């Protein structure tokens, strides 16, 4: 058995995309996951599985989630070691403002990374590290130009968490 941490994209937004934690746990278990835990109601789930292929794990979970909810739930998984590396890399920036991390489904090309990082301004910076984009922002996240939607336009499917959540998950599930 291997342990993975899944990040669900675009759930619990509005009235039609509800996916409570207990339903997430049940769907992961129905897909063959064991020792399932969730954290917050934003789509963070830790589980063990016999599957080894990241693409197969994501596809299996996405199929189970759609069967349970009736809508597509893009899912991005990392190993605990990968999550720890994302959290550790975040600490290396020493950014005193708002820090969000867009977690990518696929590894971006060098050209796409250069394109995203070139969008930086004095107040907003994107640093791509593997399948994680660190968004180093000013005080007002809701007025930022560098958003998860911008990251998705350039780098493909992504879901966004603030650094506090990334660090909490790394401390809880990637010791």
């Amino acid at each position: 058995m291997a342990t993975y941490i899944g990040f669900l994209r675009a759930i619990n937004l509005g009235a039609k995309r509800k996916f409570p934690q207990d339903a997430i746990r049940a769907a992961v278990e129905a897909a063959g996951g064991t020792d399932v835990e969730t954290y917050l109601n934003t789509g963070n789930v830790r589980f063990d599985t016999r599957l080894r292929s990241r693409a197969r794990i994501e596809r299996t979970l996405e199929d189970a989630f759609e069967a349970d909810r009736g809508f597509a739930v893009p899912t991005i998984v990392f190993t605990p070691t990968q999550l720890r590396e994302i959290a550790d890399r975040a600490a290396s920036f020493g950014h005193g403002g708002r820090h969000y991390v867009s977690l990518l489904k696929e590894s971006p090309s060098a050209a796409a990374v250069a394109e995203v990082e070139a969008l930086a301004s004095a107040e907003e910076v994107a640093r791509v590290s593997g399948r994680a984009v660190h968004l180093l922002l000013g005080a007002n996240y809701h007025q930022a130009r560098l958003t998860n939607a911008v990251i998705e336009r350039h780098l493909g499917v992504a879901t966004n968490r603030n650094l506090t959540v990334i660090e909490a998950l790394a401390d809880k599930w990637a010791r």
Side-chain angles (χ1 to χ4, degrees), residues 21-162:
Q21 291 183 69
D22 58 339
I24 292 170
R25 284 189 298 274
V28 172
E29 289 169 351
T34 59
D35 198 19
V36 180
E37 294 179 52
T38 56
Y39 180 79
L40 298 176
N41 206 29
T42 57
N44 311 297
V45 61
R46 180 219 163 276
F47 58 95
D48 293 338
T49 181
R50 293 189 185 286
L51 300 176
R52 294 288 186 251
S53 160
R54 179 177 57 86
R56 187 168 178 207
I57 293 166
E58 289 172 345
R59 189 172 47 254
T60 299
L61 290 175
E62 290 169 346
D63 290 347
F65 296 156
E66 187 163 10
D68 185 83
R69 294 285 107 179
F71 55 82
V73 180
T75 303
I76 301 164
V77 299
F78 291 89
T79 66
T81 299
Q82 291 168 329
L83 181 61
R84 172 51 56 200
E85 289 168 356
I86 292 168
D88 290 348
R89 178 75 173 128
S92 76
F93 292 116
H95 180 62
R98 304 263 184 184
H99 187 149
Y100 289 80
V101 183
S102 288
L103 303 165
L104 304 172
K105 193 162 185 75
E106 301 298 333
S107 297
S109 69
V113 168
E115 194 174 282
V116 164
E117 290 185 347
L119 298 172
S121 69
E123 298 83 30
E124 301 176 14
V125 176
R127 292 289 176 251
V128 182
S129 180
R131 290 192 304 128
V133 182
H134 297 268
L135 300 174
L136 311 175
L137 308 174
N140 195 340
Y141 172 74
H142 298 289
Q143 292 179 347
R145 284 183 324 108
L146 285 175
T147 64
N148 196 65
V150 169
I151 297 306
E152 282 194 312
R153 274 196 298 275
H154 293 276
L155 304 180
V157 175
T159 190
N160 192 267
R161 301 293 187 275
N162 69 39

